[in-house]
Amino acid sequence: MSKRLRGTIVALVVIVALVAFIVSFLSIFRNRIPEREAPGLPLYFGEQRLDIDMPEEDAEEQDLVEFVAELYETACENYKQADKAAFEVIYTTYMKIGGDLMSLPVPGTRYCLKEGAKRYYMDFAIPDQSNPLIGTLLNAFAPESSWYGEAQYTDETMDYTVSRKIYSGSGESANGVAPKYAEDGTIVADWSNVTTKELAKPVYAAYQEGDFHHTDHEVSVDTIIPGTVSVEYNSEGRYYICNFELDPEKVPEALLESLRNSSGQPSARYTKLVQSMTIWDSGYFRTYHALDDWTTDVAMSSTLDFQTTYYFDTEGDAEKFDINNYQYMAEMCHK
């Protein structure tokens, strides 16, 4: 065997070994999501069934689109008018780099409670802590949206929302601390070095002008894609099941700008918006599941998986309306 051939074989072996090592190394970033307790299913809320006609099986596509849009608008208005309402969100943001070569899942949990004019809100995004490189990579590719805890509060006496945030990273909100999961699944957070800001106030209660929207995406007859809609009625559970897609070319400009700012990617754009919602036949939200995909021009993409469960003022769901039942809410959500 010639020296040149032997050298070529050695080089190939080294390259194969290096590729195998890289693939093995990158695999530690895939699908490592901590167990999170799913929210309990809500109880029925409302007095009577909506005066709205369910589309027939042979209904035109436009009829289905209009039905879903009307249900969504009705549920949004009913949430705004309700004196007490709460929702919990279990979500995972999958940051993908180089196609599917590297997938960095960032799980999170949100809690929101409104009682009269008071609105309490907690948000925790906590990546896998078994490998310190994950936090480093996330801070490099998504410095404002990867690892944080945030508490918000507002009421009728305020024209803004106060935000208190703890964050470990390189972004402007960084203050050197971040929440973590304890072994029992609870969240441990150090709020001693919190960053406080005044944010724009959302529409959430009856005393305000304007409309409440579940999602920052527009859900309307203009944005729902015909041909993607399916509607069912669960007579035993008394709720509608609506599946549909939104047109990614009609994303509100403010939301697109927010995506680009939070991701640090000026070319970021949405590519697919798959939505599924269940609404009580009395016109109140039950659940809403969104799978939103976006990508960039630099081999970076992401899937946003958000599952929301709504609760209203029923005796069986009373525990959802006690701020002491949510970690750090009573402590951090105040003026």
Side-chain angles (χ1 to χ4, degrees):
M1 182 182 295
S2 69
K3 291 184 178 180
R4 179 176 297 179
L5 180 58
R6 185 182 299 111
T8 300
I9 293 175
V10 171
L12 287 174
V13 170
V14 171
I15 291 173
V16 170
L18 181 60
V19 170
F21 171 78
I22 292 173
V23 171
S24 175
F25 176 76
L26 292 178
S27 68
I28 68 173
F29 300 113
R30 301 175 64 87
N31 302 322
R32 301 187 64 162
I33 303 174
E35 291 290 332
R36 290 166 291 168
E37 184 177 354
L41 288 176
L43 298 177
Y44 183 88
F45 181 79
E47 297 181 357
Q48 59 185 11
R49 186 170 178 175
L50 287 173
D51 183 16
I52 184 173
D53 293 328
M54 173 85 173
E56 301 292 338
E57 290 187 6
D58 59 349
E60 298 289 334
E61 286 294 334
Q62 190 61 26
D63 293 335
L64 294 174
V65 168
E66 292 175 359
F67 180 79
V68 169
E70 183 176 358
L71 266 184
Y72 177 80
E73 291 175 4
T74 300
C76 286
E77 180 61 20
N78 283 339
Y79 174 87
K80 178 185 174 183
Q81 296 299 327
D83 185 61
K84 288 186 178 182
F87 62 77
E88 296 184 23
V89 186
I90 297 295
Y91 67 90
T92 303
T93 300
Y94 296 90
M95 300 298 298
K96 302 174 184 179
I97 303 168
D100 288 330
L101 184 62
M102 183 187 296
S103 180
L104 309 177
V106 181
T109 307
R110 292 176 180 174
Y111 308 99
C112 185
L113 164 63
K114 73 161 184 169
E115 186 170 11
K118 298 178 180 179
R119 180 182 183 270
Y120 307 88
Y121 175 90
M122 301 293 301
D123 185 6
F124 296 98
I126 307 176
D128 175 30
Q129 299 152 50
S130 65
N131 191 303
L133 288 176
I134 290 181
T136 301
L137 286 169
L138 288 171
N139 285 331
F141 288 99
E144 287 297 318
S145 58
S146 59
W147 192 346
Y148 63 86
E150 183 176 20
Q152 295 182 9
Y153 177 81
T154 192
D155 60 37
E156 81 280 12
T157 68
M158 305 163 63
D159 59 4
Y160 60 92
T161 292
V162 61
S163 163
R164 297 179 175 90
K165 190 172 184 179
I166 50 177
Y167 178 84
S168 178
S170 58
E172 65 176 77
S173 301
N175 46 26
V177 294
K180 297 182 179 181
Y181 285 114
E183 290 185 1
D184 61 0
T186 59
I187 295 171
V188 178
D190 177 5
W191 299 89
S192 60
N193 189 23
V194 66
T195 298
T196 303
K197 291 184 178 181
E198 293 183 3
L199 305 178
K201 184 170 181 171
V203 175
Y204 65 94
Y207 76 89
Q208 296 173 284
E209 296 183 358
D211 299 320
F212 165 81
H213 298 292
H214 164 80
T215 173
D216 289 333
H217 290 288
E218 181 184 341
V219 179
S220 69
V221 293
D222 294 325
T223 61
I224 298 173
I225 302 176
T228 67
V229 182
S230 68
V231 176
E232 299 178 39
Y233 177 67
N234 184 312
S235 57
E236 182 177 356
R238 294 189 62 183
Y239 58 85
Y240 297 101
I241 306 170
C242 304
N243 301 304
F244 56 98
E245 291 186 29
L246 300 175
D247 190 340
E249 298 297 325
K250 296 181 179 179
V251 172
E253 192 62 34
L255 181 56
L256 190 58
E257 181 179 353
S258 175
L259 170 68
R260 291 170 174 171
N261 289 337
S262 63
S263 66
Q265 301 298 317
S267 65
R269 59 193 177 279
Y270 287 98
T271 57
K272 194 174 184 66
L273 305 171
V274 179
Q275 318 290 294
S276 178
M277 67 182 183
T278 63
I279 292 180
W280 299 116
D281 64 11
S282 56
Y284 290 83
F285 278 118
R286 180 177 178 270
T287 62
Y288 196 107
H289 186 199
L291 276 172
D292 300 343
D293 292 337
W294 60 265
T295 190
T296 71
D297 294 337
V298 292
M300 178 178 175
S301 62
S302 178
T303 295
L304 312 178
D305 185 342
F306 282 68
Q307 175 68 61
T308 306
T309 305
Y310 279 87
Y311 303 92
F312 294 91
D313 191 15
T314 61
E315 184 177 348
D317 286 334
E319 63 181 29
K320 301 296 182 181
F321 299 94
D322 184 348
I323 62 174
N324 296 297
N325 290 333
Y326 301 92
Q327 280 194 272
Y328 304 109
M329 184 174 283
E331 175 185 355
M332 297 308 303
C333 293
H334 53 78
K335 292 184 180 180

